[in-house]
Amino acid sequence: MRNQIVQEDLREIVQEDISWELFRDSTILITGANGILPSYMVDTLMYLNESREYNIHVVGVVRHIEKARRRFLENDKLEFLEQDVCLPIDYKGNIDYIIHAAGQASPKFYGKDPVGTIEGHILGTDNCLRLAVEKDVKGVLYFSSCDVYGTVYEDRVMDENYIGKIDSLSGRSCYPVGKLAGESLCIAYEKQYDVPVKIMRIAHTYGPFTPLDDGRVFADFVGNILRNEDISLHSDGSAERPMLYIGDAVR
C-alpha cells in the first residue's frame, strides 16, 4: 500500500499532458534509484503500468539492494542491479532509455567523501554513456545541478546561459566540478557518438521520503518541527535558492 500523499502525486503526474506513449513496452535503466527524486520516477513508471498497462520495465541501479526492497513495492516489472556506478554497468538485456541520477547530493555527505563524490559524477556518467552507446538507446537524461552556475556575484535571476565562478580549490568543489564534468561528457558523447542526451539542472527538491538526516535546509527545518525545537539557522538567513516539490520535478 502506497502512502496517500505519494498516491495523489502519482495520479496528478500521469494526468499531465506528456507523451507517455514513448515509454510503452520500453526498458528504462535508472541509476541512483533509491534517491529521493529518481525513486519517485520509478514510482511514476510503475504507476503507468498499473493505471494504463504500459508494460514498462525498470532496471534500478542501487548501492544497497535491501534499502531498495524496503522502499519499493514488489513488482515483476522492477528489478535491481546492486553496484557502484563507478564500475562498468553490465546489463545483458535491451535498454531503451537511461536516467543517470546517481551521485552524492547532500553537502553533509559529499563533505565527508569528496573523492567518492567527484568520481561518482565523472566515472559514473562515463559508464552510463558507454552503456548508452552499446545499447543504442533512444535517450539519456543526466541529472546535473544548479550548483554548476557557481557563485552569483550580482542580484539577478539566473537563466541557463548564466556562468558564475566555481573555485576548483574549494573543499566543496567536488560536487559542482563533478557535475560540470558530467555535462561535458554528455556533450562529448553526443558530438562523437550521436548519443541523444538531455541535461536537467536540478534545484533543491523536497517531498516524501526525504530523510531527516539529509543535511539540507528543508529536512533540517522539518526535523526541528517534529522535535518541537526552534528552527535552527547556520547562517544569517539571507541566502536564497530555488526549491521544487518532487511531484513538479518529476513532471
Side-chain angles (χ1 to χ4, degrees):
M1 180 68 68
R2 285 196 186 95
N3 176 290
Q4 181 180 349
I5 295 173
V6 177
Q7 190 75 10
E8 291 173 0
D9 282 346
L10 298 179
R11 192 178 302 117
E12 290 183 9
I13 290 168
V14 301
Q15 288 174 354
E16 191 79 8
D17 185 18
I18 292 171
S19 301
W20 298 111
E21 281 289 333
L22 290 171
F23 301 124
R24 185 182 291 277
D25 299 320
S26 64
T27 297
I28 303 173
L29 183 138
I30 303 178
T31 69
N34 277 335
I36 300 167
L37 180 50
S39 67
Y40 237 63
M41 299 180 90
V42 173
D43 287 334
T44 300
L45 295 168
M46 293 297 100
Y47 188 78
L48 281 170
N49 284 342
E50 297 166 17
S51 60
R52 303 187 187 182
E53 299 182 354
Y54 268 32
N55 190 36
I56 300 168
H57 184 76
V58 173
V59 181
V61 180
V62 298
R63 296 187 71 172
H64 304 288
I65 198 164
E66 290 305 320
K67 179 181 177 182
R69 287 171 177 158
R70 291 193 301 269
R71 167 62 180 83
F72 298 104
L73 301 176
E74 187 173 346
N75 195 306
D76 62 0
K77 298 295 184 184
L78 174 61
E79 67 171 305
F80 299 107
L81 292 180
E82 186 177 35
Q83 71 158 86
D84 189 328
V85 292
C86 290
L87 301 173
I89 300 170
D90 182 19
Y91 183 72
K92 302 302 182 186
N94 176 64
I95 297 173
D96 297 290
Y97 298 97
I98 294 175
I99 298 173
H100 178 38
Q104 308 247 47
S106 170
K108 175 180 178 181
F109 296 107
Y110 64 68
K112 295 178 181 177
D113 184 21
V115 173
T117 298
I118 196 167
E119 284 184 345
H121 294 318
I122 297 174
L123 300 178
T125 303
D126 189 56
N127 284 329
C128 286
L129 292 166
R130 287 177 183 272
L131 185 66
V133 174
E134 175 191 337
K135 300 295 184 179
D136 192 24
V137 301
K138 299 175 183 177
V140 176
L141 177 63
Y142 172 58
F143 275 34
S144 186
S145 167
C146 286
D147 272 25
V148 302
Y149 294 114
T151 302
V152 180
Y153 290 99
E154 53 203 89
D155 184 16
R156 59 169 290 166
V157 175
M158 293 179 295
D159 59 27
E160 290 184 1
N161 297 315
Y162 177 78
I163 300 175
K165 179 181 179 181
I166 297 176
D167 178 5
S168 61
L169 301 182
S170 163
R172 71 179 304 279
S173 66
C174 58
Y175 183 74
V177 170
K179 285 295 190 184
L180 269 177
E183 289 192 7
S184 293
L185 275 168
C186 287
I187 299 304
Y189 271 84
E190 181 185 53
K191 298 291 185 187
Q192 191 165 340
Y193 299 109
D194 295 321
V195 176
V197 179
K198 289 182 173 63
I199 296 169
M200 183 165 66
R201 291 174 176 168
I202 302 167
H204 278 201
T205 303
Y206 66 94
F209 303 113
T210 303
L212 291 180
D213 65 351
D214 178 78
R216 283 172 286 186
V217 65
F218 43 82
D220 286 349
F221 286 178
V222 170
N224 291 145
I225 293 166
L226 291 176
R227 293 187 295 270
N228 199 29
E229 301 168 347
D230 289 340
I231 286 177
S232 178
L233 289 177
H234 301 291
S235 68
D236 63 6
S238 63
E240 297 180 358
R241 71 181 306 158
M243 295 195 183
L244 185 63
Y245 182 66
I246 194 166
D248 299 317
V250 172
R251 277 201 287 269

